Amino acid sequence: MVVNYYGILGCECIWDQNGLFLAAPAGVQVQSLQQLGFYTAADGRWYKQLSPQESAYLNSMKNVSVVDLPSQGYNFGMVSGTASDMEESPEDKKRANTLCLISLILGHGLSLFSYILTQICDMHTYSIFGTAGLIAFILMIYVRVKYPKNKFGKVLMILYIVEIIIAIIVLIAIIAACASCLNDCS
């Protein structure tokens, strides 16, 4: 039986008295193998002893020539689906950082530009730049979902959360001040 184990294609399935093992094919990156719990043996090959759940699943699939782990609907305790999901690739990092920068420009740079236009030209562009702020927030959420390990995305999320908390506190203070003024008027 051949097993495709979390993105490592073509692992050989070996049954022996100690349990069920996978032997990784030649040419797989060492870092990927180590992250998935493979170890090197005296013969120079990389092996992984499977968990009881994985072993039971493969035992139930003995008649199948190629099996994918994880199978649809099974998790087997692993956090992510492939070895490439475990760390951020340089392309993903660049893409995520670009989206974060666009979000930051839409959220803060255009707000400053809007304020300057309002002061100089007496133009009221709140709806356009309010929409840009909403798009900035949605971009940040997209980056956090698509690239969860990106540090710029995490910092941007914290920045936006702090801004929302400050805005809520200011709104509560304004409401309290208005209520106090209304009470003083009567």
Side-chain angles (χ1 to χ4, degrees):
M1 170 187 303
V2 174
V3 177
N4 298 327
Y5 188 75
Y6 290 90
I8 298 177
L9 305 178
C11 293
E12 179 185 349
C13 195
I14 302 169
W15 278 271
D16 72 1
Q17 68 275 11
N18 295 326
L20 187 56
F21 292 84
L22 290 181
V28 179
Q29 290 183 354
V30 172
Q31 185 179 8
S32 298
L33 292 169
Q34 289 173 337
Q35 287 177 340
L36 290 171
F38 281 79
Y39 61 90
T40 58
D43 64 359
R45 290 187 71 187
W46 287 85
Y47 295 95
K48 174 170 179 60
Q49 185 169 12
L50 296 178
S51 70
Q53 296 90 355
E54 292 169 328
S55 297
Y57 178 72
L58 287 181
N59 280 327
S60 72
M61 302 293 286
K62 274 189 175 179
N63 298 336
V64 180
S65 59
V66 178
V67 177
D68 290 329
L69 276 179
S71 178
Q72 195 74 349
Y74 289 91
N75 188 358
F76 302 114
M78 293 296 281
V79 175
S80 51
T82 63
S84 63
D85 289 341
M86 292 184 185
E87 64 180 57
E88 190 176 34
S89 71
E91 299 85 31
D92 286 345
K93 184 176 183 178
K94 184 177 181 182
R95 212 172 296 128
N97 288 343
T98 302
L99 290 172
C100 286
L101 189 61
I102 292 169
S103 174
L104 196 58
I105 290 170
L106 285 173
H108 291 91
L110 290 182
S111 297
L112 180 64
F113 184 69
S114 172
Y115 176 76
I116 291 170
L117 278 179
T118 303
Q119 296 302 316
I120 294 174
C121 304
D122 199 30
M123 293 178 66
H124 297 286
T125 57
Y126 300 120
S127 62
I128 295 170
F129 294 107
T131 305
L134 181 64
I135 292 170
F137 192 74
I138 291 170
L139 266 177
M140 180 273 301
I141 292 172
Y142 175 77
V143 168
R144 291 297 297 138
V145 170
K146 181 85 171 153
Y147 311 102
K149 298 208 180 263
N150 185 270
K151 290 180 183 176
F152 192 5
K154 289 178 185 177
V155 170
L156 197 60
M157 177 188 70
I158 292 168
L159 175 73
Y160 287 163
I161 289 172
V162 167
E163 287 178 353
I164 289 170
I165 290 171
I166 290 172
I168 290 171
I169 291 170
V170 167
L171 183 64
I172 291 171
I174 290 172
I175 291 172
C178 289
S180 175
C181 286
L182 288 175
N183 285 340
D184 288 345
C185 290
S186 31

